[in-house]
Amino acid sequence: MKNFVTVRNLVKHYGDVCAVDTLSFTVMEGEIFGLIGPNGAGKSTTINILSTLDAYTSGSVEIAGMNIESHAREVKAILGIVPQEIAVYPHLSALENVKFFASLYGLKGAALRKAAEEALAFVGLSEKAKMKPKQMSGGMKRRLNIACGIAHNPKLIIMDEPTVGVDAQSRDHILHSIQVLRERGATVIYTSHYMNEVEQICDRIAIIDHGQLVAEGTCEELVAMITDFNTFTMKTRFPADFDKDAFMKEVSAFPSVHSVSVQEDCVKIETSITCADFSDILDKLRKFHLPVISVVSEIPNLDSVFLTLTGHEIQ
Ligand code: ADP
Ligand code: MG
């Protein structure tokens, strides 16, 4: 995969406030990239700079091989922006809103109408094409905001907290549509302070705090930064002739197994975080006639990664 967005030593001061502090990260072509951090971390400032909406103090940003300052016009042409604050015209209908935003990218006539109708269908608002934003629920307005940002079929879609204040159904719809946009070939940068959403849809993630990069990688890579082990607890029933010593010996022989313990109604196995032979471990349970009634994995989530790396909770 090749780099699509390269941010190098980006700095943004607002007077005395350093909103973005020597931030560097890379987004690969065709991925969903999550930019996560608590309120005030500098996500929107970073996104606004990438979107060419905001100036920066120093550093550089390249999008599709183009410097965003020297090639601002070409960069803008391939961007789709979904801002954190809903930016639609209250007195225009949903369809008119989408047409207006898509027209800014040069679409006209029948092509414009088709693109706008497709974008509305994409966010599930075809039936509401004539409705005005002031009559819409928060979730519907968020979906319209997305349609306005994607109708011109941008190569890079930048979404700033698109699920804040939406109902569960709109939220699921939005998360699903982001994945569809990626499948259609777009690269997506997605900011959020909801870790579970980011775990669900992002290929790679940058954690930022106080304008600085805390860590960057896949969810698994970030988890591996704070722990070496994954604990699996498998509930089972031990047969009368269970040979505990032989079982422990065979399971311990796997290179990725760190420890095994047999308890009253369960087997607890600690493996390396990168364990790739879990199914072989399960085969051993089968061999010793241990039914697997349930498996609980205590792999840490992004919330614990954030807490461990920054020393505070995300929200
Ligand atoms: P996030 O999107 O992660 O919540 P922001 O990028 O909005 O964070 O804000 C980062 C920091 O920059 C905060 O301390 C915020 O108060 C400050 N900030 C953002 N926009 C402005 C502005 N226009 N003027 C002054 N300070 C700002
Ligand atoms: Mg923000």
Side-chain angles (χ1 to χ4, degrees):
M1 274 212 285
K2 54 178 207 251
N3 290 7
F4 201 69
V5 179
T6 310
V7 175
R8 277 193 212 101
N9 298 322
L10 189 65
V11 176
K12 169 74 181 181
H13 290 289
Y14 286 112
D16 290 344
V17 177
C18 184
V20 179
D21 186 0
T22 352
L23 183 65
S24 300
F25 62 86
T26 308
V27 180
M28 306 293 184
E29 184 161 24
E31 73 180 357
I32 302 178
F33 186 85
L35 195 60
I36 63 177
N39 284 329
K43 303 181 296 296
S44 293
T45 304
T46 304
I47 289 292
N48 291 343
I49 293 169
L50 264 55
S51 311
T52 73
L53 300 174
D54 223 342
Y56 50 98
T57 309
S58 62
S60 73
V61 181
E62 264 179 29
I63 296 180
M66 300 179 282
N67 181 284
I68 62 165
E69 235 168 25
S70 58
H71 291 74
R73 204 164 47 86
E74 292 90 336
V75 167
K76 265 188 204 139
I78 62 164
L79 289 185
I81 302 156
V82 181
Q84 179 170 357
E85 303 300 334
I86 292 177
V88 293
Y89 292 97
H91 300 292
L92 295 182
S93 72
L95 183 64
E96 286 163 346
N97 262 293
V98 183
K99 280 173 76 176
F100 171 75
F101 284 97
S103 72
L104 300 178
Y105 291 88
L107 287 172
K108 292 192 192 79
L112 174 62
R113 189 177 178 91
K114 183 164 177 275
E117 282 171 352
E118 278 174 9
L120 276 185
F122 182 72
V123 298
L125 288 180
S126 291
E127 322 272 87
K128 316 283 180 200
K130 294 203 175 110
M131 197 186 247
K132 292 186 175 160
K134 54 181 182 171
Q135 302 158 304
M136 292 182 168
S137 69
M140 282 161 65
K141 267 190 271 194
R142 280 261 163 228
R143 282 148 68 175
L144 177 58
N145 204 38
I146 293 174
C148 291
I150 62 154
H152 60 292
N153 197 18
K155 285 208 175 80
L156 177 64
I157 298 164
I158 300 182
M159 293 192 177
D160 198 358
E161 309 227 24
T163 57
V164 167
V166 308
D167 54 282
Q169 194 197 349
S170 285
R171 177 183 169 277
D172 289 346
H173 198 287
I174 291 169
L175 292 180
H176 176 71
S177 42
I178 294 172
Q179 289 168 299
V180 175
L181 289 168
R182 188 258 311 269
E183 279 158 30
R184 292 182 181 177
T187 304
V188 183
I189 300 180
Y190 173 82
T191 85
S192 183
H193 61 273
Y194 298 124
M195 296 296 206
N196 56 345
E197 293 183 354
V198 174
E199 281 175 8
Q200 203 180 322
I201 67 165
C202 293
D203 300 301
R204 285 190 329 109
I205 297 153
I207 299 180
I208 64 170
D209 194 27
H210 304 299
Q212 296 177 326
L213 183 77
V214 175
E216 180 185 358
T218 62
C219 190
E220 292 74 23
E221 285 164 353
L222 295 176
V223 167
M225 286 178 187
I226 63 158
T227 180
D228 294 331
F229 301 114
N230 189 359
T231 308
F232 295 97
T233 305
M234 283 159 287
K235 195 165 177 225
T236 188
R237 267 188 306 274
F238 296 101
D241 60 352
F242 176 59
D243 186 345
K244 180 177 161 186
D245 292 341
F247 173 76
M248 304 247 301
K249 196 168 158 216
E250 287 196 27
V251 174
S252 307
F254 287 106
S256 61
V257 170
H258 177 67
S259 75
V260 192
S261 67
V262 168
Q263 300 173 0
E264 196 182 332
D265 63 349
C266 68
V267 173
K268 218 172 188 156
I269 300 178
E270 245 185 353
T271 71
S272 61
I273 201 82
T274 52
C275 170
D277 44 14
F278 188 64
S279 59
D280 297 335
I281 296 172
L282 287 176
D283 282 344
K284 288 292 174 203
L285 272 87
R286 199 168 305 127
K287 180 179 166 191
F288 282 83
H289 305 291
L290 302 180
V292 178
I293 298 167
S294 67
V295 183
V296 176
S297 161
E298 284 162 39
I299 194 156
N301 58 16
L302 277 183
D303 280 311
S304 26
V305 172
F306 189 86
L307 178 63
T308 308
L309 295 180
T310 67
H312 59 88
E313 307 263 356
I314 191 154
Q315 44 193 336

